[in-house]
């Protein structure tokens, strides 16, 4: 299993977890600090609930009563985040099947295609989350800097930053998965030829034959006792 696939899997699953946390969070926008200091109350709004708390520690949340009274940009962000979470889930499943360490998924070529599919799904998940968070943030900043907007103004909540971080991780993991298929195609496959088993007797005969040739090519010199006198 290559390190690239491990990094891609960690980024993809980590980004998917961040998208789930951002979607279920109620801190998509919070009241400005200036108004919070004066009234000593904090208001948090998310895609599904509105929450309010005060300096005494009491905290209360209520869901959106009907979908028809929810503003259009909130419904659009809901759909994008649900699509991002769904794509991230399926991308995680495809990524696990496309890993080389798993025994499911078929041959290496089929695993490479599955990993590439997981990369594409992760990229789509990240783009959906990035679009939803950016759309919500654009609405908040437009109302905040509009001098004619007289209602309660909000700031960017922590869920938006979590969503952006999760989207970035999904896109990075998806890109790594897509490039892993090219690495598999570039990996050379070395071929080996089978020459048959070699027995111990054949190796010994070759060695003895070699010694015999060595003895014949290099004649020995014999000396008697008179040669040293």
């Amino acid at each position: 299993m290559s390190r690239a696939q491990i990094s891609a899997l960690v980024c993809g699953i980590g980004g998917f977890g961040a998208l789930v946390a951002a979607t279920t969070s109620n801190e998509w926008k919070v009241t400005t600090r200036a108004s919070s200091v004066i009234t000593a109350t904090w208001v948090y709004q998310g895609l599904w609930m509105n929450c309010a708390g005060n300096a005494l520690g009491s905290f209360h949340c209520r869901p959106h009563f009907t979908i028809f009274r929810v503003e259009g940009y909130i419904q659009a962000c809901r759909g994008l985040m649900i699509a991002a979470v769904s794509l991230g889930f399926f991308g995680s499943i495809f990524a696990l099947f496309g890993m080389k360490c798993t025994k499911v998924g078929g041959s290496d070529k089929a695993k490479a295609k599955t990993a590439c599919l997981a990369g594409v799904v992760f990229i789509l998940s990240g783009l959906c989350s990035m679009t939803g968070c950016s759309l919500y943030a654009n609405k908040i900043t437009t109302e905040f800097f509009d001098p004619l907007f007289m209602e309660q103004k909000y700031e960017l909540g922590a869920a938006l930053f979590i969503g952006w971080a999760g989207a970035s991780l999904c896109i990075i993991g998806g890109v790594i998965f897509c490039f892993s298929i090219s690495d598999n195609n570039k990996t050379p496959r070395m071929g080996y030829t089978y020459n048959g088993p070699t027995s111990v007797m054949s190796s010994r005969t070759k060695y003895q034959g070699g010694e015999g040739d060595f003895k014949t090519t290099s004649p020995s010199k014999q000396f008697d006792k008179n040669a040293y006198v």
Side-chain angles (χ1 to χ4, degrees), residues 95-110:
L96 292 176
F97 281 113
M99 299 294 289
K100 293 182 179 180
C101 62
T102 57
K103 296 182 180 180
V104 293
S107 61
D108 292 341
K109 189 175 181 180

Side-chain angles (χ1 to χ4, degrees), residues 10 26 38 53 63 89 108 124 127 129 131 159 180 182 190 194 198 209 223:
V10 171
N26 295 322
I38 296 173
F89 173 77
D108 292 341
L124 292 176
L127 291 177
S129 176
T131 304
S180 65
S182 60
M190 300 179 64
Y194 179 73
T198 57
F223 301 97

